[in-house]
Amino acid sequence: MAKPSRNRPLIATGAELDGFTIGECVHRGGMATLWSVAHPGINVPLLMKIPRVSEGEDPAAIVSFEMEQMILPRLAGPHVPGCFGTGDFGRQPYVVIERIPGTTLYDRLSDLPIPYEEARVIGGKIATALADLHRQNVIHHDIKPSSIMFRPSGECVLIDFGLSHHNLLPDLLQEEFRLPYGTAPYMAPERLLGVRNDPRSDLFSLGVLLYFFTTGERPFGEGETLRGMRRRLWRDPHPPRKLKTDYPSWLQEIVLRCLEIEPVWRHPTASQLAFELAHPEQIKLTARSERQTHDPLSTVWRRRFNRGLTQPRPKSDLAAQLASGPIVAVALDTAEGAGLLNESLRKAAEQILATLPSARLACLNVLKLGRITLDKTLDEQGNNKHIDRLVALRHWASPLQLDESRLTVHVLEAIDPASAILEFVEVNHVDHVVIGARQNSLARALLGSVSARVAAEAGCTVTVVRPPRLAAMHGQEETEAGAVRNG
């Protein structure tokens, strides 16, 4: 662990350090202070974070600051503050970050409980930010209201990475301390066993936050001793519906799944959690959703003496875990004559899902609207076109025999099918699109192929599947598997 120098430059308003002019102190925390700073070559508002390293300070403050210095410069994107400089402990430790306007989610505590719909939107934004963070090999490990902000454009920004784990960097907290560091009410059970490399620990913390923000009560109480915290290794919280009779079933399903003791019982990835929060009407409800009582004593005792729940687990591979639970979207054509192509699409989807036991499948169809005509909701037989297509999508997926919790169907209404598919892919953070290439036609020649545009513009892997008759020209039925990788 690096040792701070006794001859550090004085940090004071008006002083200059490595080209940064120091302004006012805007916050004094238990582990660090924040100062406004300016730099002639940087046009965004900045903050300089400086650890508290004086005599008697917690040594964990220094170690966590070293972790933040290592991790922040490696992060990018709208869900983290930009990093503009760091200073080493030999002279003056600091990190300069983008100053996000506004306040943290902590300022909403006086408003609790908040409306369910607002909590759904907030939770979805946090889950999206976590998914982006996990893809960058980082687990936050301190998700709580004071670590969450929102940009004026709406994106969630995660701050305070001092307790984080980077899958490709040394974990100094793990190496130097045996006790778990974190915020007790939000800490996942496996953290008590020394597990710091499972991204689903962040989902547990988000579940605590959603429970708290929608009921006004913390699922595991307020302050807890380490001994008391170990109870969450075998004891569930009271179901939200016991506290609020109007609590939505779909929201309880999500919250209690996040708060499962075993990580494997939670959502496989933050992306899948964000997907469920974006589509609550399609959530597969289980017994969790209607539970109104505490777990029975027999269950508590079984967990209490189950060594698998109370012993440290082997380390997992973060990248492999995320890769095993992608969101796969299949774009289907329900028009007459598309049967052979849809069968090829099903075979392609089956091959992809066979190696991904935690993947989620989203079946898409676009109900094309006219540019100037008034569209009718019923077909010539008087059937609702939207509902008919939803039924057709489920019928197409039925041979795959997926658990309902892994399958959703979506009919998108749009003038431009390609734009509708691309928007769905972006908004729902789809990892892999499977789409068919229609046979040659005059319309396709004049207007361009939907599959070609999706393959060119989607920010994920795209598999373009050819119908059998086209493939036969090449002597076999084929797919352009993984044909395009964007982003």
Side-chain angles (χ1 to χ4, degrees), residues 141 180 183-196 198 200-205 208 220 226 228-237 257-263 265-266 303 308-313:
H141 280 319
T183 305
Y186 296 89
M187 193 179 294
E190 62 273 12
R191 292 284 313 285
L192 303 172
L193 305 176
V195 176
R196 281 182 45 83
D198 195 321
R200 292 168 296 192
S201 296
D202 284 342
L203 305 191
F204 184 93
S205 301
V208 173
F220 303 102
L226 184 60
M229 288 172 61
R230 289 185 64 84
R231 284 197 296 267
R232 68 187 65 175
L233 286 166
W234 53 80
R235 193 85 210 236
D236 292 326
R257 187 175 181 186
C258 287
L259 296 178
E260 287 284 6
I261 294 171
E262 283 283 0
W265 298 338
R266 302 172 203 154
R303 293 171 178 167
L309 287 174
T310 57
Q311 296 298 313
R313 294 110 184 216

Side-chain angles (χ1 to χ4, degrees), residues 366-369 412 414-422 450 453-454:
V366 180
L367 182 57
K368 195 172 186 305
L369 305 178
L412 316 175
I415 295 173
D416 181 355
S419 293
I421 295 171
L422 288 167
V450 172
R453 184 175 165 200
V454 170

Side-chain angles (χ1 to χ4, degrees), residues 445-459:
L446 295 175
L447 302 177
S449 164
V450 172
S451 59
R453 184 175 165 200
V454 170
E457 298 182 24

Side-chain angles (χ1 to χ4, degrees), residues 312-386:
R313 294 110 184 216
K315 292 185 176 181
S316 60
D317 186 320
L318 173 57
Q321 185 175 319
L322 296 180
S324 69
I327 298 174
V328 180
V330 178
L332 295 158
D333 189 347
T334 59
E336 187 175 348
L340 291 176
L341 176 56
N342 286 344
E343 178 62 28
S344 296
L345 285 167
R346 184 164 47 233
K347 290 180 180 178
E350 189 173 28
Q351 291 173 356
I352 293 169
L353 295 172
T355 59
L356 301 168
S358 298
R360 174 184 289 275
L361 180 66
C363 302
L364 312 180
N365 175 258
V366 180
L367 182 57
K368 195 172 186 305
L369 305 178
R371 292 185 181 273
I372 57 175
T373 59
L374 183 63
D375 295 287
K376 297 180 180 180
T377 59
L378 303 181
D379 61 19
E380 295 178 355
Q381 288 74 40
N383 300 316
N384 186 291
K385 291 186 282 188
H386 194 110

Side-chain angles (χ1 to χ4, degrees), residues 230-281:
R230 289 185 64 84
R231 284 197 296 267
R232 68 187 65 175
L233 286 166
W234 53 80
R235 193 85 210 236
D236 292 326
H238 291 290
R241 289 174 68 85
K242 181 177 181 179
L243 306 177
K244 298 186 70 177
T245 56
D246 67 337
Y247 206 86
S249 297
W250 62 266
L251 185 54
Q252 175 157 304
E253 179 71 33
I254 286 179
V255 169
L256 292 186
R257 187 175 181 186
C258 287
L259 296 178
E260 287 284 6
I261 294 171
E262 283 283 0
V264 71
W265 298 338
R266 302 172 203 154
H267 297 81
T269 64
S271 290
Q272 291 206 27
L273 173 55
F275 190 95
E276 287 208 343
L277 287 164
H279 305 281
E281 74 286 350

